């Protein structure tokens, strides 16, 4: 058998899908040591972010089983052939759950009664975060993101009226964020905080936007775009698109128009990304959930004519292209762009 230098093996493995690597771990100690190495995991993630970042979506569907009082959460991936493939199904305690967007291939979801879970659908692993026994009745919302400064994932948890706690996965503990409360930092509970480029963002009680540095754990405020200052704040929506904070303005009388603004954090100002217009149907219940690398096509998810709808909108031609998902029948699901990863949920 021909000898293959280790650097070539390393390079080949870093380009393979996660499921193939899971099988190769049992072939040799060398393969196993490569695949478990944190530097390899990072290199593998970067390779697949570039190659598959536009093509892979993850759909989450929550199934309530009333007879035995349990809930199941199912994760499906969709790649360029638009066929939904089941990745992972897990039973959880009976509750109403909110599923947050994929972050580096990991997904956080939380229940109305305070339980928080983080999973990797590709490796089929999950961590149930410890509960904070006090204040469960005042629990409001959660956010999930990656702290690049300290190399760990964090969950931020909001309580009413002004308590914030943060869970650091590398040490497995909750810590209270100590700050002087002000309405300009207070969490306005009409959507979970959004994670983008090292910061959590949310609308404050005083109608500004709060930015929370996940590494330094410090607060700042951001003004809204000038055109949105007098808008109904409950018709403004924050999203993350390709790692950047965006604001969606749905406050238009005919409900057939959506404006999207992108925040340039280095320059600290808003730039209009574009306008989405539907000629015949209201789109005030749709949300941008992804964008192509060339920023010409935006992925939209929401309800059109009363049915769950997934489509791409071309910013240059103004045309909608429906995505017809094969192998998935539910109209009620969560979707986000996704990259399959080897990252461990316990770190």
């Amino acid at each position: 058998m021909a000898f293959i230098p280790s650097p070539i093996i390393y390079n080949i493995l870093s380009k393979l899908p996660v499921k193939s690597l899971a099988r190769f771990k049992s072939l040799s100690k060398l393969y196993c040591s490569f695949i478990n190495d944190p530097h390899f995991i990072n290199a593998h993630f970067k390779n697949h972010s570039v190659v598959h970042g536009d093509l892979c979506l993850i759909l989450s569907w929550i199934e309530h089983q009333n007879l035995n009082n349990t809930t199941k959460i199912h994760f499906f991936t969709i790649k360029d052939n638009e066929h939904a493939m089941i990745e992972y199904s897990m039973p959880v305690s009976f509750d109403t759950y909110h599923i947050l967007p994929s972050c580096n291939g990991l997904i956080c979801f939380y229940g109305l009664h305070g339980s928080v879970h983080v999973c990797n659908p590709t490796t089929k692993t999950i961590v149930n975060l410890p509960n904070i026994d006090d204040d469960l009745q005042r629990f409001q919302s959660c956010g999930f993101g990656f702290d690049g400064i300290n190399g760990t994932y964090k969950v931020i948890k909001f309580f009413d009226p002004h308590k914030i706690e943060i869970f650091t996965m590398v040490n497995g503990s909750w810590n209270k964020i100590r700050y002087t409360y002000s309405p300009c930092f207070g969490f306005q509970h009409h959507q979970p905080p959004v994670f983008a480029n090292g910061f959590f963002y949310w609308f404050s009680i005083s109608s500004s936007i709060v930015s929370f540095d996940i590494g330094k754990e410090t607060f700042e405020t951001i003004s809204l775009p000038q055109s949105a200052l007098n808008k109904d704040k409950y018709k403004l929506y924050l999203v993350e698109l390709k790692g950047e904070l965006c604001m969606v303005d749905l406050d238009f009388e005919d409900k057939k128009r959506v404006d999207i603004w992108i925040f340039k954090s280095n320059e600290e100002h808003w730039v209009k990304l574009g306008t989405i217009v539907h000629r015949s149907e209201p789109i005030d219940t749709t949300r941008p959930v992804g964008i192509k690398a060339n920023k010409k096509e935006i992925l939209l998810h929401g309800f059109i004519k009363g049915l769950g709808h997934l489509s791409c909108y071309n910013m240059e031609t103004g045309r909608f292209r429906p995505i017809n998902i094969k192998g998935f029948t539910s109209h009620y699901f969560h979707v986000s762009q996704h990259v399959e990863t080897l990252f461990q949920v316990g770190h």
Side-chain angles (χ1 to χ4, degrees):
M1 182 176 178
F3 171 75
I4 303 176
S6 294
I8 294 178
I9 296 175
Y10 186 100
N11 188 49
I12 293 171
L13 291 176
S14 70
K15 293 177 170 61
L16 294 178
V18 172
K19 291 176 182 177
S20 297
L21 294 177
R23 294 193 296 268
F24 288 169
K25 285 174 73 172
S26 61
L27 292 181
S28 76
K29 291 182 179 179
L30 177 64
Y31 289 3
C32 187
S33 64
F34 279 160
I35 295 168
N36 289 332
D37 180 69
H39 297 291
F40 175 86
I41 292 173
N42 281 319
H44 180 272
F45 175 73
K46 289 177 181 178
N47 283 340
H48 286 254
S49 295
V50 173
V51 176
H52 301 292
D54 276 355
L55 304 176
C56 187
L57 304 173
I58 190 149
L59 272 67
S60 312
W61 171 49
I62 301 172
E63 178 189 10
H64 295 294
Q65 299 175 331
N66 294 319
L67 290 178
N68 54 10
N69 223 30
T70 61
T71 301
K72 267 193 172 181
I73 299 184
H74 308 278
F75 293 98
F76 296 77
T77 52
I78 301 176
K79 297 185 180 177
D80 52 348
N81 62 5
E82 299 182 3
H83 188 88
M85 300 292 292
I86 184 69
E87 289 290 329
Y88 187 31
S89 294
M90 73 196 76
V92 289
S93 59
F94 190 78
D95 203 347
T96 299
Y97 287 92
H98 191 102
I99 300 173
L100 298 173
S102 175
C103 176
N104 294 356
L106 303 185
I107 295 180
C108 177
F109 58 97
Y110 61 91
L112 184 66
H113 294 97
S115 65
V116 183
H117 314 265
V118 178
C119 77
N120 183 334
T122 308
T123 62
K124 298 177 174 56
T125 52
I126 185 169
V127 167
N128 305 319
L129 273 57
N131 285 329
I132 307 171
D133 292 332
D134 58 337
D135 295 321
L136 282 181
Q137 298 301 316
R138 302 191 300 168
F139 169 64
Q140 289 187 319
S141 189
C142 272
F144 178 65
F146 181 70
D147 175 0
I149 295 175
N150 300 299
T152 184
Y153 292 88
K154 291 182 177 179
V155 174
I156 191 168
K157 200 169 188 180
F158 294 87
F159 299 85
D160 179 43
H162 51 74
K163 179 182 175 182
I164 301 174
E165 297 217 359
I166 197 157
F167 184 87
T168 304
M169 297 198 70
V170 74
N171 58 27
S173 63
W174 290 98
N175 291 294
K176 187 175 181 179
I177 300 298
R178 302 192 179 280
Y179 70 106
T180 302
Y181 174 75
S182 166
C184 67
F185 296 142
F187 178 70
Q188 188 181 84
H189 184 47
H190 77 280
Q191 73 164 109
V194 170
F195 178 75
N197 199 25
F199 292 83
F200 287 115
Y201 297 95
W202 62 86
F203 284 110
S204 72
I205 296 171
S206 62
S207 298
S208 61
I209 295 172
V210 182
S211 71
F212 177 79
D213 189 313
I214 194 174
K216 299 176 182 177
E217 299 187 357
T218 55
F219 296 84
E220 297 288 344
T221 58
I222 300 171
S223 298
L224 298 176
Q226 191 69 29
S227 67
L229 291 177
N230 296 319
K231 293 292 186 84
D232 181 350
K233 300 305 182 293
Y234 284 86
K235 294 181 181 178
L236 302 178
Y237 199 84
L238 299 179
V239 296
E240 174 267 328
L241 298 176
K242 281 293 179 185
E244 297 186 273
L245 174 69
C246 293
M247 191 196 76
V248 181
D249 181 359
L250 301 162
D251 191 14
F252 294 97
E253 189 173 345
D254 64 1
K255 299 182 180 181
K256 297 176 184 176
R257 169 178 169 175
V258 173
D259 282 352
I260 304 176
W261 296 82
I262 187 167
F263 183 68
K264 298 296 183 181
S265 54
N266 292 337
E267 304 164 20
E268 296 189 350
H269 76 282
W270 293 92
V271 175
K272 193 172 183 180
L273 180 63
T275 297
I276 299 173
V277 177
H278 200 295
R279 295 178 181 177
S280 60
E281 297 295 332
I283 54 173
D284 59 316
T285 58
T286 63
R287 301 287 186 273
V289 293
I291 188 169
K292 294 284 187 179
N294 59 17
K295 295 188 177 178
K296 292 180 181 179
E297 275 197 320
I298 293 180
L299 179 70
L300 299 171
H301 174 233
F303 289 86
I304 296 177
K305 296 183 178 179
L307 297 176
H309 196 78
L310 197 60
S311 62
C312 278
Y313 179 80
N314 190 299
M315 301 290 282
E316 292 185 344
T317 65
R319 293 180 178 176
F320 290 84
R321 176 174 61 86
I323 297 177
N324 300 311
I325 306 170
K326 306 173 186 71
F328 189 86
T329 57
S330 175
H331 292 296
Y332 301 94
F333 57 87
H334 176 275
V335 62
S336 67
Q337 286 184 301
H338 179 70
V339 179
E340 295 179 347
T341 181
L342 291 162
F343 286 131
Q344 300 297 313
V345 294
H347 295 86

